[in-house]
């Protein structure tokens, strides 16, 4: 175990530096190194101040998340922090980059904090299903008060330096390298320009109002999450003497550590980063600055907005002046809202406008680096666009389609440069939804894939690599999951019961609310399109068709599975249609409890997810998880359907599917991989 912590004495200053790339996570070696150097420095008679700083891009960015779930190794971070606080020799922490979680806790245990410009501080543990477990819930209230501590701990946001200073979290700002600032801090301390104090000795003004307000907000906005309430309980203990508060914090931390949500959220943390590591990622992407967008409808204007917000220049094309004008207005509106939400600075807003042009003439795409087609979902229309792109675009331009299910291989061969054709499947609203499905066609060149991922990074999207099939990864799994829901509908469950159960499981919205929001005609069209390839013996539920035939297309018509008057309520006409369909199918409705609804819904999702992996449409289980979490409202705290299968156990899922197959062997079939995993106890995690 190399020692990432070193001690150097310069003019009576003990410089303790941490060097554990990439983000100086407080791994076991770092913790042990800090304890040893603190001990050594305190024993030195020629040292009167200790200054902690880190090398590389950031001060400690938290505990080493990779160590979670493994047997804990002494010394633990809370103990490291207590040793720093108890140090007889004053300790100053010099911060740069993103001191987060355990890193900020180490800093708060120090007797003063100095930061370099640009530093952002935070306690984001709640995003990992835990709480600041190394004194953060006790020392933050002592430094910034209960309301601000609650805000930092419950939002997990990165607090900019100027705010951290006004909160009293940072005492001084110094320029230079972290080491130079460390020596500078020691000098200021000697000139009594930096006061040192033990945070633990500070007291906290009680504030039950803030604590109760936080509890109410959590109950309303995060009813599913386990750790936020525990965070409040821990902060509430900060009014106690520090050692008592720390004991309370530790108990609450362990409760969070043992909650399955911790595993789900940490899986999501690493999944979000790992999905970008695709085989093609090691290739240099093609350069891009000018993006062409074809189609100025909802998707086109959203994609244009996302590119402009990333500082790229955009030319948007459409066939009609009215459509183009509507598209321009939509982009302007999106940018204004982004400024209002603090997602875009007014300066960048101005740059975006100057980098945005529109045209009726595709010839204006001749110098575009990447062109993204977002015209309506009709193969001939798309092929016509790509034939024109083939004529007008420069050699090496990346030609992308935003189709959400059409065969990209077929689109590609309508050009003479199918190696430059790729699918870039955005999700609506395209400037807000974080997911980008990068669909790789048979002829797509590897550096074109790499360029797709580079564009996603520039747009701050989570890009997931997918192969070509009907619906790629996301819509293919959604189609199977919806069939399972429709079967429950026909057999006796109501749309409301299914939505309520799936939302209680953690989805942002149940399947029938989503259908109503998207428009029932969209899914009707895809059922019609899939009719030709549907297995003859597969059960078909025509409820959705009947509702559409009555002109009820969801929210946009005020009626769908729900009615959208003053208040949203189950639509009695839809319920009547459901009863009629049951009667004509000779089905006597039965009761579905919420557990069974969730079990069937998730079994279908895992079943199709496993098939998508078997077919190589998704490379790894995390690709399936990321698609569902970032694009389909799957609850992040459950990590994704393949992680869910690992949590439940493949044997459990196989047993459920086998049970359902007794009533419907055509739809319910256990994929080979899943059956093998059930036998061997293997997990999807092992395949990531
Ligand atoms: N532990 C282990 N690995 C980490 C890590 C961490 N804390 N943070 C980042 N990495 C890895 C990451 O997986 C990636 O690896 C590489 O570093 C670069 O990260 C007791 C218990 C710091 C803002 O939640 O928010 O402290 O993919 O791609 O976009 O209270 O990483 O290259 O192999 O994200 O520049 C609390 C988590 C922990 C911060 C940098 N801390 N990290 O963002 O780079 S819990 C956090 C981040 C805790 C205590 C508790 C970001 C970042 P790879 P990156 P980035």
């Amino acid at each position: 175990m190399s020692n990432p912590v070193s001690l150097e004495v310069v003019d009576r200053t003990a410089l303790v530096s941490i060097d554990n790339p990439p983000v100086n996570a407080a791994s076991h070696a770092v913790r042990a190194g800090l304890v040893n150097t603190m001990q050594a420095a305190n024993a030195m008679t020629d040292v009167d101040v200790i200054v902690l700083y880190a090398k590389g891009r950031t001060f400690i960015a938290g505990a080493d998340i990779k160590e979670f779930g493994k047997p804990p190794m002494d010394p633990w971070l809370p103990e490291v922090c207590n040793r720093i606080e108890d140090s007889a020799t004053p300790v100053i922490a010099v911060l740069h980059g993103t001191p987060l979680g355990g890193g900020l806790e180490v800093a708060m245990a120090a007797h003063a904090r100095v930061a370099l410009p640009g530093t952002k501080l935070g306690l984001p543990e709640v995003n990992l299903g835990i709480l600041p477990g190394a004194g953060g819930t006790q020392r933050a209230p002592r430094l910034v008060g209960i309301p601000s501590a609650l805000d930092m701990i419950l939002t997990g946001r990165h607090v900019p330096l100027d705010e951290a200073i006004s909160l009293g979290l940072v005492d001084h700002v110094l320029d230079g390298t972290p080491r130079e600032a460390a020596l500078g801090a020691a000098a200021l301390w000697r000139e009594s320009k930096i006061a040192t104090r033990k945070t633990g000795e500070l007291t906290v003004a009680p504030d039950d109002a803030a604590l109760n307000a936080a509890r109410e907000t959590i109950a309303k906005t995060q009813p599913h999450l386990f750790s936020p309430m525990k965070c409040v309980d821990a902060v509430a203990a900060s009014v106690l003497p520090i050692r008592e508060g720390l004991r309370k914090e530790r108990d609450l931390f362990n409760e969070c550590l043992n909650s399955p949500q911790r595993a789900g959220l940490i899986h999501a943390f690493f999944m979000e980063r790992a999905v970008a590591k695709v085989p093609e990622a090691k290739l240099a992407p093609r350069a891009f600055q000018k993006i062409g967008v074809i189609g100025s409808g909802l998707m086109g204007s959203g994609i244009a907005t996302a590119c402009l917000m990333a500082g790229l220049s955009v030319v948007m094309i459409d066939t009609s002046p009215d459509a183009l004008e509507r598209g321009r207005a939509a982009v302007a509106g999106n940018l204004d809202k982004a400024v209002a939400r603090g997602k875009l600075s007014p300066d960048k807003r101005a740059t975006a406008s100057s980098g945005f042009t529109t045209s009726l003439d595709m010839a204006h795409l001749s110098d575009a680096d990447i062109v993204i087609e977002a015209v309506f979902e009709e193969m001939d229309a798309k092929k016509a666009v790509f034939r024109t792109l083939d004529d007008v675009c420069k050699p090496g331009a990346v030609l992308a389609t935003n189709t959400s299910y059409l065969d990209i291989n077929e689109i590609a061969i309508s050009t003479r440069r199918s190696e430059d054709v790729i699918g870039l499947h955005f999700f609506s609203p395209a400037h807000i939804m974080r997911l980008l499905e990068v669909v790789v066609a048979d002829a797509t060149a590897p550096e074109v894939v790499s360029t797709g991922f580079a564009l996603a990074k520039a747009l701050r999207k989570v890009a997931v690599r997918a192969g070509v099939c009907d619906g790629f990864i996301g819509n293919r799994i959604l189609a199977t999951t919806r069939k399972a829901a429709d079967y429950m509908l026909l057999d006796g469950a109501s749309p409301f019961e299914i939505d309520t159960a799936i939302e209680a499981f953690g989805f942002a919205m149940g399947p029938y609310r989503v259908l109503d929001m998207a428009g029932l005609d969209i899914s009707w069209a895809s059922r019609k399109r899939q009719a030709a390839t549907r297995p003859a013996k597969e059960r078909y539920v025509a409820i959705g068709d009947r509702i559409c035939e009555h002109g009820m297309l969801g929210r946009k018509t005020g009626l769908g599975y729900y009615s959208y008057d003053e208040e949203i309520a189950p639509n009695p006409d839809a319920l009547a249609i459901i009863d009629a369909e049951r009667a004509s199918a000779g089905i006597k409705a039965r009761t579905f409890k919420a557990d069974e609804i969730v079990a069937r819904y998730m079994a279908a999702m895992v079943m199709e997810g496993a098939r998508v992996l078997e077919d190589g449409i998704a490379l790894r289980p995390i690709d399936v998880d990321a698609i569902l979490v970032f694009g389909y409202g799957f609850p992040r705290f459950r990590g994704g359907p393949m992680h869910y299968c690992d949590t439940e156990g493949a044997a459990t899922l196989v047993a459920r599917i086998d049970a359902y197959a007794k009533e419907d062997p055509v739809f319910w079939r256990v994929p080979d991989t899943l059956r093998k995993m059930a036998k061997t106890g293997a997990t999807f995690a092992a395949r990531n």
Side-chain angles (χ1 to χ4, degrees), residues 66 100 166 185 198 244 283 285 364 399 421 425 468 479 492 580 582 600 640 666 681:
K66 292 194 179 77
L100 301 171
S166 60
K198 292 185 184 284
E244 274 181 65
L283 292 169
H364 287 114
L399 309 181
V421 176
H425 178 207
V468 174
R582 287 177 187 150
R600 285 173 174 268
V666 178

Side-chain angles (χ1 to χ4, degrees), residues 233-254:
D233 295 345
V235 171
S238 64
V239 294
L240 302 170
I242 184 112
R243 287 289 179 259
E244 274 181 65
L246 288 173
R247 274 193 294 278
K248 179 76 179 165
E249 176 192 273
R250 180 66 7 197
D251 295 346
L252 292 161
F253 179 81
N254 287 334

Side-chain angles (χ1 to χ4, degrees), residues 128-129 224-228 256 259-266 637-638:
L128 301 172
H224 301 290
L225 296 183
F226 181 79
S227 73
C256 295
S259 134
Q261 295 195 1
R262 182 267 301 168
L265 288 164
I266 287 182
F637 67 85
R638 293 186 188 277

Side-chain angles (χ1 to χ4, degrees), residues 273-289:
R273 287 152 179 79
V275 284
K277 298 178 181 154
V278 294
E280 298 88 351
K282 54 184 177 296
L283 292 169
R286 295 180 184 170
F288 56 85
Q289 174 51 36

